[in-house]
Structures are given as C-alpha cells and as structure tokens.
Amino acid sequence: MDRPETQSSWWHGATLYQVYVRSFRDTNGDGYGDLPGITAQLGYLSWLGVDGIWLSPTMPSPDHDWGYDVSDYRGVHPDLGTLADLDELVAAAAQRGMRVLLDLVPNHTSNAHPWFVEAVSGPDAPHRGYYVWAGPAPDGGPPNNWIAATGQSAWTLDQASGQYYLHNFLPSQPDLNWWDPGVHEEFRQILRFWFDRGVAGFRIDVAQGLYKDAQLRDDPPAPRDDVVTSRFGLAQVYSANRPESHGVFRDWRKIADSYPSPRLLLGETWVGDLSSLAAFHGHGDELQLTFNFPFIFTPFTAEGLAGVVAETLAKLPAGECPVWTASNHDISRFPTRWCDGDERKVRLALLVLATLPGTLVLYYGDEIGMTDVPVPAALVQDTMRAGSGGKFSRDRSRTPMPWDASPSAGFTAPGVTPWLPLGEHSTANVAVEQAGPASILSLCRDLVRLRRAEFGGQLASYTQLPGQPGLWVYQTGGLTVVTNFTGSPVRLAEPVAELGEVLVSTAPAGEAAEAGVLAPWSGIVARTEPED
Ligand code: GLC
Ligand code: CA
C-alpha cells in the first residue's frame, strides 16, 4: 500500500477510543466530566496508543437522553465546555497524532430544538415538514403500531393540531422526516461546519433510522426475540431500516471524501444480520465503518465468535474494513457481560479484539477491565428505561473513570459527588494498573502497540486454522493467534504447537511455563513461522 492510501484510510488497523464525556474527567468540580478533562488526559490516551477518539454527544441538549436529544447542532453543551475548548481538544489531539470524532444524531432532535419548537406552533409552520406527523387511526389512537425504545407507542398526540408526531425514542426526541429535502440540506451544512473545524468524522447515531416508510405501514412481529432484531416483539421493517437511507450516506460520503484528509463516517448500525450490516458500506461509497452488533451480542465462546467473524469478513464488500468492539454506553460492559468479571476472560477478550483485522474501538475503561457498576434506583440518570425501575438502566456502563484509588478516584475534586456513583476502585484504576507490568492495562497497551506496528494503515489478512473444540486459532497478517475458551488447560495439537516467537501471552506467569500447553481462558500471539 502506498503512502497516500495509508494516510487516507488511517482507520485501517487503527484503535479508536470512545469517551463518554460526562464520565471521563471533571476539571471544574461540578461532578460532570468535561472537554478540558479529555484534553488533560490526552497524554494517557497517547501512551495507550490510540489513533482517534470518539466523543459521546457534545452538543447543547436538555439531556433527557444525555445529549442524544440535540437542541443545537453547531454548539457545545455548556456543562462540557465551550466551542473554544473543543477546538483546543482537536488541536491538542492532532499534535499527538490523534483524531477526534463527534457523535452526530440525525434520526431525531430534541423537542427543544428551534425546528421543533416552530413545527409544533401549527400545521403551516415553515419547519412542520421536518418532522413526521400523522392523523389518528380510525379508532382515534396512534396512527400505527410502532413502538419507541421506551416500550410505549412511538407516537405522541399534539393536542393543538390533533396530529400525532413520531418519536422512535423518548417523546422529547421527535424523529426527523428525511423525505423533506430541507432536512438533507441542514445536515450537509452541519457536516461541513464540523469538518471545516478539523473534526475527523462522526459516529452516526441510529444510522438504520432516518427514513421511515412513506405509507407508515405497521411493523410486523419480529421473527426472533433477540435484542437486535426485536423491539418489544416487533421487527423495525417500516419504522426504520428503509432502503432510502443509503442515499443519505452516499451523499455524506461525497462530502467526507471532498476533504484533503477524508473524514470518517462510523455508523451505529443497529441491525441483527450481517448482510444488512454490509449494505451500509454500499459499493465502498457509503459508511467506511459500521458497528457490528451481532458480534457484540454473540456469547463468549470460540465457536460463536469465530463464526461471526468469518461471516462478517465474508459479507463485507472487498476492501471494506470491519469494526470490533465489545462495550459501549448502551449495553453492559464486556468484562461483565462476556466475562463475569473473570480477569482471565477479560485478558483473552482484549487479546482477540486487538488481533482481528480492521478497526478496534475500545470503550473508556475497557483497557483496565472496568466492569458494570450497579446504580441504585434513586441515583439513576437514564430515563429511557424508566419503566423498569432502574433495573435496565444504561447507567451501569456510564459510571466515572477511576483514575486512581483516592475517594474521588481522580475523576472529580475531593468532596464532590460525581453525577453517577463510582464503583469499587481500590485496585482497578489507571494509576495502580499503570504501575503494574502484569495488569490488564499493561496487557492492553502492549496489544494496542503491537496492533499498530503490525496492522497500522492496513487491512490484514485473516485465516482461521483448525483447532480442538473450545479453541480459536487464526493467522492474521504476520501473526498467529491461539486462544483457549475453556476452563481447562489444553495441550496443543500439531502443528499449532510449533508456534513462532511468542509476542504476547495472557496466561499468568506461573501457568505459561509448559511449552505447548494453553492455560484455561488464555491466549497467545506469536510471530507466524515462515513455511519452509
Ligand atoms: C443510540 C444511542 C443511545 C440513544 C439512542 C437515541 O442508540 O447510542 O444512547 O439513547 O441512540 O439517540
Ligand atoms: Ca465538569
């Protein structure tokens, strides 16, 4: 690959890091993480070896959904800082060779956005058509059966006009109407506004949303009851996942590619099948990167994960780059969900994530093996699942980053109560783990650096090799990866036993002693021996 190509596809083989801004680092003692807090920690992120950071929503918002209800697409939320703070963060990151991606929310706005405030003023309001309106069904109820992420109807009646408006999430998050050309033009300008400021790209919220069925047909029952294919029993065939949305991404891709350093579009593509996921790449002319939810929700087994990896690579159009991630702000963290807090499994998961070809996205805290923190009902901040009495609140994976073992965890000033509770952080924190060569953090840093050295700017090859049940063995680029997803030691069969130089092993020092034996829940990365 020549240099310009390497430059333009900098995310190939790269590591991105998701910062949930409110929980990363608080610099002004209000209990909320902020943009200057990220700037202050850039040295840490650069030490870890990340190539880019994605910031959870930074735009002004009434925070009914913590920034995913945007009231101004060109500003910065005052709790998080100023536009100048964001410019400074982008510039300081660039000095360290790191890019900054923002979160763009094009499926809906806040009901406090001036477009919606105007739109509800009456059926003839100039921006009325920016939202989805419909009259009641014959029985006087909502226009159709669509269900919001809250579990309630996706429609709310606007008493004044007698029409309902659509909201696939909270009632205070009205869905935009992508059939209106004005909405397209607004977002083109929003993209350029941020790209012109040096923002390297966007993570696109609810990328499978945008267009809705023009006839507002009822959603059919879901064929399966898993979290990515079923929304409270319905398949989002008409309320989302419409083919017309692909045209939006082709349009945005042209804008992204018009910059000397092409901007990156990373979709939150919440779809349950890998063919639909691949479709978001178009013919290499839509999103460059897509979050892989089928992978995330695959059980932590060698067979399960190897299968979804193979299928993903087979389905993506040639030259397209897969994304491997296992945690984010909406789901249980992988050290809890996949690993039940078992450190051996956490190390194994990190080893696999970091050695798959494509883009790795770490969620803040993944690198120290941070687990979910139970948040008592009285302290819950996430209202999307309010009906569940806090039980399914997403706050468990949004708690403050533990920087050190002090009572405030180095997250906020001493004596300040953080916006969400800190978990147990006496040993699982950055300072302790940075000082420990055998820590999860040290392993993660080694893996990220190995990845950069081996895969940086490239789409490495991937071939699965035969292995005993419970083992996942593959060659990628110049590396051979051998993993044991069982609770027992496994004596490796030929030819896998003839490994080249071992570069990384997750096995505890004492258990690595015997050559050719893989410790329970462990993995090895070796230099592939040249064939003779
Ligand atoms: C995405 C976000 C989630 C948010 C929802 C509505 O799924 O990741 O946090 O609640 O969209 O914007
Ligand atoms: Ca703050």
Side-chain angles (χ1 to χ4, degrees):
M1 228 175 258
D2 61 17
R3 262 196 78 72
E5 172 66 8
T6 303
Q7 273 295 317
S8 62
S9 300
W10 62 268
W11 50 88
H12 286 185
T15 304
L16 301 181
Y17 185 98
Q18 179 189 356
V19 176
Y20 195 77
V21 182
R22 281 182 187 266
S23 292
F24 200 57
R25 172 99 195 265
D26 172 24
T27 56
N28 63 351
D30 64 358
Y32 290 112
D34 42 50
L35 296 174
I38 304 169
T39 307
Q41 298 308 121
L42 285 175
Y44 167 71
L45 295 174
S46 153
W47 170 85
L48 184 58
V50 310
D51 302 287
I53 54 180
W54 146 38
L55 310 183
S56 58
T58 47
M59 297 170 192
S61 163
D63 291 325
H64 294 184
D65 189 17
W66 298 106
Y68 286 104
D69 46 330
V70 177
S71 55
D72 172 8
Y73 285 93
R74 289 179 178 74
V76 167
H77 196 302
D79 284 359
L80 309 181
T82 63
L83 201 49
D85 290 330
L86 185 57
D87 289 342
E88 194 182 319
L89 168 56
V90 170
Q95 274 177 4
R96 294 181 183 270
M98 288 186 281
R99 270 104 164 166
V100 177
L101 276 72
L102 299 186
D103 211 312
L104 183 70
V105 187
N107 180 70
H108 46 266
T109 70
S110 160
N111 62 349
H113 193 288
W115 299 333
F116 191 76
V117 172
E118 202 206 50
V120 279
S121 72
D124 301 324
H127 290 107
R128 183 82 171 181
Y130 276 23
Y131 296 90
V132 184
W133 300 91
D139 68 356
N144 63 23
N145 75 345
W146 296 355
I147 299 182
T150 57
Q152 308 297 313
S153 169
W155 298 93
T156 289
L157 181 64
D158 166 40
Q159 296 285 353
S161 66
Q163 287 194 308
Y164 284 82
Y165 68 88
L166 175 69
H167 52 85
N168 266 304
F169 295 88
L170 296 170
S172 54
Q173 292 172 296
D175 274 49
L176 284 162
N177 173 23
W178 280 88
W179 293 99
D180 188 320
V183 172
H184 291 245
E185 193 45 37
E186 298 281 4
F187 275 87
R188 285 183 197 115
Q189 288 174 20
I190 292 164
L191 254 63
R192 290 203 180 92
F193 174 85
W194 291 108
F195 291 164
D196 289 349
R197 298 192 91 88
V199 165
F202 289 107
R203 175 265 190 185
I204 299 160
D205 191 59
V206 194
Q208 79 286 358
L210 310 194
Y211 273 86
K212 280 82 198 177
D213 181 44
Q215 299 171 49
L216 305 179
R217 281 171 280 187
D218 275 357
D219 275 335
R224 294 196 310 277
D225 191 29
D226 64 74
V227 58
V228 268
T229 34
S230 167
R231 178 178 267 202
F232 300 99
L234 296 181
Q236 290 197 278
V237 171
Y238 297 114
S239 56
N241 298 301
R242 304 308 300 160
E244 293 84 3
S245 298
H246 293 283
V248 178
F249 301 132
R250 283 193 290 274
D251 185 33
W252 291 1
R253 179 64 178 272
K254 284 190 198 120
I255 297 174
D257 284 350
S258 72
Y259 285 77
S261 166
R263 303 308 201 242
L264 177 57
L265 304 172
L266 161 58
E268 187 212 12
T269 38
W270 187 274
V271 293
D273 72 289
L274 294 163
S275 303
S276 306
L277 184 77
F280 284 100
H281 293 253
H283 301 283
D285 57 354
E286 295 188 28
L287 306 179
Q288 295 105 326
L289 296 180
T290 52
F291 276 121
N292 187 333
F293 287 92
F295 173 79
I296 291 173
F297 291 117
T298 296
F300 194 62
T301 63
E303 289 75 15
L305 292 171
V308 72
V309 165
E311 192 187 340
T312 301
L313 295 173
K315 294 230 159 106
L316 280 190
E320 292 300 301
C321 181
V323 178
W324 309 111
T325 194
S327 302
N328 70 39
H329 63 289
D330 291 327
I331 57 177
S332 169
R333 289 174 173 275
F334 84 78
T336 299
R337 184 170 41 81
W338 268 350
C339 309
D340 299 320
D342 183 334
E343 280 207 17
R344 300 171 303 173
K345 296 185 190 175
V346 175
R347 288 166 201 269
L348 172 58
L350 285 169
L351 178 135
V352 163
L353 287 164
T355 54
L356 291 172
T359 305
L360 166 65
V361 184
L362 292 172
Y363 184 47
Y364 82 100
D366 279 353
E367 74 276 26
I368 56 169
M370 186 170 173
T371 49
D372 289 350
V373 174
V375 175
L379 299 181
V380 160
Q381 303 281 344
D382 173 28
T383 58
M384 190 69 74
R385 318 234 174 114
S388 67
K391 198 164 143 230
F392 299 111
S393 119
R394 297 171 293 181
D395 293 336
R396 62 191 166 168
S397 58
R398 300 178 177 180
T399 59
M401 180 74 166
W403 294 102
D404 60 39
S406 69
S408 67
F411 164 72
T412 185
V416 173
T417 305
W419 80 295
L420 281 173
L422 291 158
E424 210 305 295
H425 62 280
S426 55
T427 53
N429 66 64
V430 172
V432 165
E433 293 200 25
Q434 262 184 324
S439 66
I440 292 175
L441 178 56
S442 296
L443 168 75
C444 187
R445 179 177 187 254
D446 288 349
L447 287 167
V448 168
R449 282 166 179 264
L450 174 66
R451 182 179 165 73
R452 177 182 276 176
E454 293 291 319
F455 302 160
Q458 294 174 43
L459 281 181
S461 59
Y462 172 91
T463 313
Q464 190 179 341
L465 302 180
Q468 294 119 288
L471 265 57
W472 179 12
V473 185
Y474 52 92
Q475 279 179 352
T476 176
L479 306 177
T480 301
V481 180
V482 187
T483 60
N484 177 6
F485 278 72
T486 76
S488 317
V490 172
R491 178 166 298 279
L492 296 172
E494 306 285 330
V496 172
E498 296 161 19
L499 287 172
E501 180 199 355
V502 173
L503 306 173
V504 179
S505 166
T506 71
E511 292 181 34
E514 204 190 333
V517 174
L518 215 53
W521 298 111
S522 77
I524 284 173
V525 185
R527 170 90 38 225
T528 304
E529 288 279 89
E531 284 186 36
D532 34 40

